[in-house]
Structure formats: C-alpha cells, structure tokens
C-alpha cells in the first residue's frame, strides 16, 4: 500500500527535478498501480534487481535469469528440506507441484504446475521462492546463506516467511548502479530508502540512504539516515527533511 503522505512527498521530489524510481521485489505486472500513483515512468527496479525494466512498455535494460544448473541446485535444496519451491518470471510463477501450502500462499493466482524438472530447469526464471513459513524461515535463510555463499544471492522481502534465491549479481544495489550508469548519473547523486533484507545492498550503494524506523537493526545500520517512526510521519517526514525542506 502507498500512504498518501508518502505519495505527496515523492511527487514533491519529482517536481523539483529528481528522477524517482521504484525498487521492488515484485514482478513488473504487480507494479503498475504504484508506478501510476507516483507518476513513475521508464525503467524501474523489479524482482529484487534481477530485472530492470519498464512495467508499462516492457523496455528492459538488465535481466539476470537463472541457468539450468542454478535451478537444479535450488530445487534440490528445497526437496532435501521438504519446503515448496516456486520459480518466478516477469509475468507469473511455476512450481513442480501445487501442494496445499502453495495454494494457500497464492490464492487465485496459482503458479503453473510443471512436474517435469528438466522443463523447469530450462525455463530461465529470475528467482526461486522457498516457502519456509514463519517457523522455519530463519533456519532456511541461514542454511541457504551458508550453502550458497558466493554462488547465489540469498535474500527475503521482509515478511519472515519466504526465502528468495537469485543470480549472484541480482540485487537492488547492483540494479541501481546499472541504471545510474545508463542515465549518466554518478552514484553520489543517488539516494535510496528501504526497510528489508532485500534493500541492504541498495542502501549501502548510496551515500544518502534512509532506513525505516521499524526496520530490523541490520537494515538501519546499512543506511546513513533512519526515518522517524510512522507516528511521527515515517518516510514522508524523512523525504521532507532531507530533500524538499
């Protein structure tokens, strides 16, 4: 959801001549509404930095898909730990089996069931979701981080339920650097805001960065600034203080 005051703050920054870009873990198809509400055009950071594209036109600058060996690794990891694995693409999801936990997690927008593992491995997804659940989330995040260190990017969208596996270079920070270079903008002219594990590389890549007050401590430590609490205005207040006052 988009708080009205945050929307006003973003629009105020845009009106002063600053380009605003959304950096999301979502698929492009799920970003249209937010981009429209904020008046965002052109390339956006989607799917945790694995895809740098325009959700409206489909124009693509960066796409870091997973090759067959990576998919086999991810599916093997999921099978050994008995957790469902979902493969994510720009326009949808696929999985080996539509088990009850997958049905519960996705509701009406169910992933396509593809029992053939070789077909899945060859399908070039952009990331793999592991439906760990709240009880096993931290265990699987740590396990994947240890096993896949230096091979894949291991992150999460901050819901403490799903572990995400991506190409090693797929993160929001790398995508921001790629977009800045494309636009001819130095990184010392780029600012960022975020609140989750998948925002850490983005916050670290920018000299001015804002972590939400309610974010975990390691996210706050990655940022140069921490926003006021929600009751004190949150991100909208931080934007006003740092960019539009």
């Amino acid at each position: 959801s988009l708080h009205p005051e945050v929307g006003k703050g973003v629009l105020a920054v845009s009106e002063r001549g600053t380009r605003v870009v959304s950096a999301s873990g979502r698929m492009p198809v799920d970003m249209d509404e937010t981009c429209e509400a904020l008046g965002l055009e052109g390339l956006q950071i989607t799917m945790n930095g694995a895809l740098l594209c325009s959700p409206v036109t489909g124009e693509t600058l960066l796409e870091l898909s997973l090759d067959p060996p990576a998919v086999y690794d991810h599916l093997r990891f999921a099978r050994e730990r008995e957790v469902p694995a979902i493969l994510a693409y720009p326009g949808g999801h696929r999985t080996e089996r539509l088990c009850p936990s997958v049905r519960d997690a996705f509701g009406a927008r169910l992933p396509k069931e593809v029992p053939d593992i070789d077909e899945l491995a060859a399908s070039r997804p952009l990331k793999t979701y592991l439906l760990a659940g709240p009880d096993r989330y931290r265990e699987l995040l740590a396990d994947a981080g240890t096993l896949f260190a230096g091979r894949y990017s291991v992150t999460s969208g901050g819901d403490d339920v799903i572990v995400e596996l991506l190409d090693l270079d797929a993160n929001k920070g790398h995508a921001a650097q790629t977009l800045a270079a494309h636009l001819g903008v130095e990184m010392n002219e780029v600012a960022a805001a975020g609140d989750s594990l998948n925002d850490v590389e983005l916050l670290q890549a920018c000299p001015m960065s804002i972590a939400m007050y309610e974010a975990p401590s390691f996210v706050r430590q990655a940022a140069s600034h921490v926003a006021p609490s929600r009751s004190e205005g949150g991100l909208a207040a931080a934007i006003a203080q740092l960019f539009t006052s």
Side-chain angles (χ1 to χ4, degrees), residues 18-131:
T18 297
R19 178 164 183 161
V20 180
V21 174
S22 175
S24 177
R26 297 185 181 192
M27 300 182 298
V29 69
D30 291 328
M31 294 176 62
D32 282 353
E33 186 176 339
T34 299
C35 288
E36 182 178 356
L38 295 175
L40 305 185
E41 298 180 348
L43 297 166
Q44 309 294 319
I45 298 171
T46 77
M47 302 189 77
N48 283 346
L51 183 62
L52 186 50
C53 74
S54 167
V56 178
T57 67
E59 175 193 1
T60 299
L61 178 63
L62 174 71
E63 184 170 355
L64 299 172
S65 61
L66 296 167
D67 61 17
V71 178
Y72 283 124
D73 280 347
H74 297 175
L75 295 180
R76 185 181 307 111
F77 179 88
R79 283 179 171 180
E80 290 173 351
R81 287 149 186 83
E82 299 181 337
V83 295
I86 311 297
L87 303 181
Y89 309 80
H93 302 89
R94 301 177 190 178
T95 186
E96 280 188 273
R97 187 172 68 88
L98 288 172
C99 61
S101 57
V102 172
R103 292 181 182 275
D104 290 342
F106 284 84
R109 296 179 61 182
L110 288 175
K112 179 181 178 182
E113 188 174 56
V114 181
D116 188 334
I117 190 172
D118 294 326
E119 181 180 343
L120 284 175
S123 63
R124 306 297 301 201
L126 272 72
K127 60 179 175 178
T128 304
Y129 291 116
L130 303 177
L131 301 187

Side-chain angles (χ1 to χ4, degrees), residues 54-226:
S54 167
V56 178
T57 67
E59 175 193 1
T60 299
L61 178 63
L62 174 71
E63 184 170 355
L64 299 172
S65 61
L66 296 167
D67 61 17
V71 178
Y72 283 124
D73 280 347
H74 297 175
L75 295 180
R76 185 181 307 111
F77 179 88
R79 283 179 171 180
E80 290 173 351
R81 287 149 186 83
E82 299 181 337
V83 295
I86 311 297
L87 303 181
Y89 309 80
H93 302 89
R94 301 177 190 178
T95 186
E96 280 188 273
R97 187 172 68 88
L98 288 172
C99 61
S101 57
V102 172
R103 292 181 182 275
D104 290 342
F106 284 84
R109 296 179 61 182
L110 288 175
K112 179 181 178 182
E113 188 174 56
V114 181
D116 188 334
I117 190 172
D118 294 326
E119 181 180 343
L120 284 175
S123 63
R124 306 297 301 201
L126 272 72
K127 60 179 175 178
T128 304
Y129 291 116
L130 303 177
L131 301 187
D135 294 336
R136 299 189 61 195
Y137 166 76
R138 297 193 182 282
E139 167 203 340
L140 287 178
L141 183 67
D143 197 4
T146 299
L147 181 64
F148 294 139
R151 297 166 59 198
Y152 308 115
S153 174
V154 180
T155 190
S156 172
D159 54 10
D160 290 353
V161 173
I162 297 174
V163 175
E164 302 181 19
L165 308 175
L166 303 93
D167 179 271
L168 187 60
D169 290 327
N171 63 71
K172 295 179 183 180
H174 178 261
Q177 292 167 332
T178 301
L179 179 57
H182 174 71
L183 297 173
V185 176
E186 298 291 334
M187 284 304 292
N188 61 12
E189 298 180 82
V190 181
D195 65 355
S196 301
L197 176 60
N198 64 7
D199 294 313
V200 168
E201 291 90 350
L202 176 63
L203 298 175
Q204 292 173 334
C206 300
M208 180 177 284
S209 53
I210 307 168
M212 298 304 97
Y213 180 86
E214 295 80 8
S217 60
F218 65 86
V219 178
R220 298 196 302 271
Q221 290 166 7
S224 63
H225 295 75
V226 176

